[in-house]
Amino acid sequence: MKKNFLILIAIAATLFSVSARSLKFVDATELGIHGYTKKTDKSPYYRFDHTPYEGFNKTIISHSKKPAGLYVAFKTNSSTISASWENIPRRMYDNMTGIIQYGLDLYIRVDGKWKFAAVGRVSTLPEKSKRTKTLIENLADGEKECLLYLPGWCELKSLQIGIDDDATIDGLSKPFRHKVVVHGSSITHGASASRPGLTYTAIMARNLGIDFINFGFSGECKMQPQFLEFLKSCEADAFVFDAFSNPSEKQIEERLENFVAELVKAHSGKPLIFIQTPVKQDSQFDIKNYARRMSLITTATKMMKKLEKQYKDVYFLAVPDVLGPDDTIDNAHPTDLGFNRFVKVYQPKIAKILKKYGIKGN
């Protein structure tokens, strides 16, 4: 009995020591936010400033304020990494986890490779907008290089990184050498990965050492003139387009040729890589939807093959069966398994094209 009592005292003392550990918090903006197409003066956590471009709808404006794909890169010798962050509450989507919508995702570099380390969890209910969490503790001595991915589906008001009071922390000025902007649909945006770091853009960035910038807009990537004007002004080494999931067949017919021509003119000598839209898995039963989807794919494929021949820096990668019956959450959006299959198929093809232009990882 006495022995058990002493064990309980020891456990309580350990827990008190952990909870009482003195931490200091550093604002993420002092360390540097990365993953932008362009920085905006509106907020360090907005990934796109829509205001110079008239005609965007409320959904696009809302998506522009969500830090999908943005991340903090830093190095620290702390044994503990914590975070304090404040979201603007909004409804939870029923086909995504709370972590990718509201949470954080931490990776640490080990022997030159980025390894998953921890997440910043959130309640399943979004009423609480501010939270402080210990992401990981009991880290080994020495300096660690870290990537902390930000939430994908809500606005972020503030973020501070917590470390041991006697530890140091500094930003990594340029974690990736080259920049590739990826513009696309909800799949590019990140639905429905379980964590912010498991979108296909984030996975390929860590795998290849190239910054694949997430410029996905769920349901709204339709080659609009406003997006075209913005993309023409972007500074990047290459572009990838998931451009055929959201537009109608008529929109593809009316917009695609001009979209490509204008981008070729604006980014002469840079690769413009278009990927085919995955076939939704319910199409095998919904005959009407299957016919519509296949007609859209046929139109996009025919037009892209013509444009690929017309422009030497335009590429079309068509793998319509990249997703299977067991790797989506809702017949359309990949689970983590689906995103891994997506990366396995497209990453080597994209990397091969980029290599032709001297775009390699650091």
Side-chain angles (χ1 to χ4, degrees):
M1 188 74 175
K2 183 177 180 181
K3 183 178 179 181
N4 290 339
F5 179 71
L6 292 174
I7 291 173
L8 288 174
I9 291 177
I11 292 173
T14 300
L15 292 174
F16 177 80
S17 175
V18 170
S19 63
R21 181 182 291 123
S22 180
L23 297 177
K24 60 184 177 184
F25 285 82
V26 178
D27 198 275
T29 57
E30 296 180 23
L31 302 172
I33 312 296
H34 303 269
Y36 299 105
T37 45
K38 287 183 184 178
K39 286 190 176 181
T40 167
D41 295 332
K42 302 296 181 182
S43 164
Y45 304 111
Y46 288 4
R47 61 196 176 115
F48 172 57
D49 181 7
H50 71 278
T51 54
Y53 310 93
E54 296 182 0
F56 280 131
N57 63 34
K58 291 181 180 180
T59 302
I60 291 175
I61 292 171
S62 174
H63 286 336
S64 74
K65 299 175 182 179
K66 299 167 184 174
L70 300 190
Y71 58 91
V72 186
F74 61 93
K75 56 185 178 180
T76 181
N77 61 357
S78 180
S79 67
T80 300
I81 299 174
S82 297
S84 180
W85 72 104
E86 184 175 6
N87 304 117
I88 294 180
R90 56 158 295 137
R91 70 179 180 87
M92 298 283 282
Y93 291 96
D94 60 8
N95 64 343
M96 283 183 275
T97 69
I99 294 173
I100 192 171
Q101 294 181 69
Y102 279 85
L104 305 172
D105 195 2
L106 178 68
Y107 287 75
I108 297 175
R109 181 140 51 187
V110 179
D111 297 329
K113 294 184 178 181
W114 293 105
K115 302 287 188 180
F116 168 69
V119 294
R121 294 181 181 226
V122 297
S123 168
T124 55
L125 296 176
E127 288 89 352
K128 185 178 180 182
S129 62
K130 192 167 186 178
R131 50 187 64 80
T132 299
K133 301 280 187 180
T134 297
L135 303 183
I136 193 167
E137 53 191 354
N138 303 314
L139 291 167
D141 292 340
E143 194 169 71
K144 279 77 66 174
E145 291 185 327
C146 305
L147 294 181
L148 183 65
Y149 290 95
L150 308 188
W153 298 86
C154 70
E155 288 185 53
L156 187 65
K157 292 181 68 176
S158 64
L159 171 63
Q160 293 81 39
I161 310 298
I163 58 170
D164 299 334
D165 194 47
D166 59 351
T168 62
I169 186 170
D170 295 290
L172 295 175
S173 60
K174 196 172 183 181
F176 301 106
R177 181 190 305 155
H178 292 288
K179 175 180 174 179
V180 177
V181 170
V182 187
H183 180 44
S185 65
S186 54
I187 292 177
T188 296
H189 195 144
S192 291
S194 62
R195 311 192 307 260
L198 288 180
T199 65
Y200 78 83
T201 53
I203 296 172
M204 291 199 303
R206 294 192 304 273
N207 287 351
L208 297 177
I210 296 170
D211 208 358
F212 286 88
I213 305 297
N214 188 323
F215 199 55
F217 286 77
S218 179
E220 298 296 334
C221 177
K222 301 175 183 178
M223 295 179 281
Q224 297 94 319
Q226 304 95 317
F227 273 140
L228 174 59
E229 289 307 307
F230 176 76
L231 290 164
K232 284 164 60 177
S233 69
C234 280
E235 293 184 6
D237 300 296
F239 294 82
V240 175
F241 299 96
D242 154 32
F244 307 123
S245 293
N246 297 151
S248 66
E249 188 172 351
K250 183 179 179 181
Q251 287 171 331
I252 292 173
E253 290 172 338
E254 292 175 346
R255 297 175 179 179
L256 180 56
E257 288 187 0
N258 181 67
F259 189 79
V260 172
E262 289 292 310
L263 287 170
V264 168
K265 189 186 304 181
H267 299 291
S268 178
K270 296 179 180 179
L272 307 175
I273 305 168
F274 289 75
I275 60 177
Q276 183 57 280
T277 237
V279 176
K280 292 186 178 181
Q281 292 308 303
D282 61 353
S283 296
Q284 59 186 314
F285 299 112
D286 186 331
I287 298 173
K288 185 176 179 180
N289 183 52
Y290 178 77
R292 183 190 66 82
R293 177 61 58 175
M294 292 310 297
S295 180
L296 186 152
I297 288 174
T298 299
T299 295
T301 300
K302 183 179 179 180
M303 293 182 71
M304 280 308 309
K305 286 185 175 179
K306 177 183 175 183
L307 291 165
E308 195 176 26
K309 291 178 180 178
Q310 185 175 347
Y311 301 108
K312 68 181 180 65
D313 297 315
V314 171
Y315 301 87
F316 180 52
L317 303 178
V319 190
D321 295 326
V322 64
L323 298 177
D326 60 344
D327 54 14
T328 70
I329 195 168
D330 54 8
N331 292 322
H333 300 101
T335 60
D336 293 342
L337 175 61
F339 275 118
N340 272 306
R341 287 176 175 168
F342 195 92
V343 169
K344 186 176 181 180
V345 168
Y346 278 116
Q347 178 178 294
K349 297 177 184 295
I350 292 171
K352 185 178 180 180
I353 294 170
L354 297 180
K355 189 176 180 181
K356 288 169 56 179
Y357 293 80
I359 302 171
K360 303 176 184 178
N362 53 352

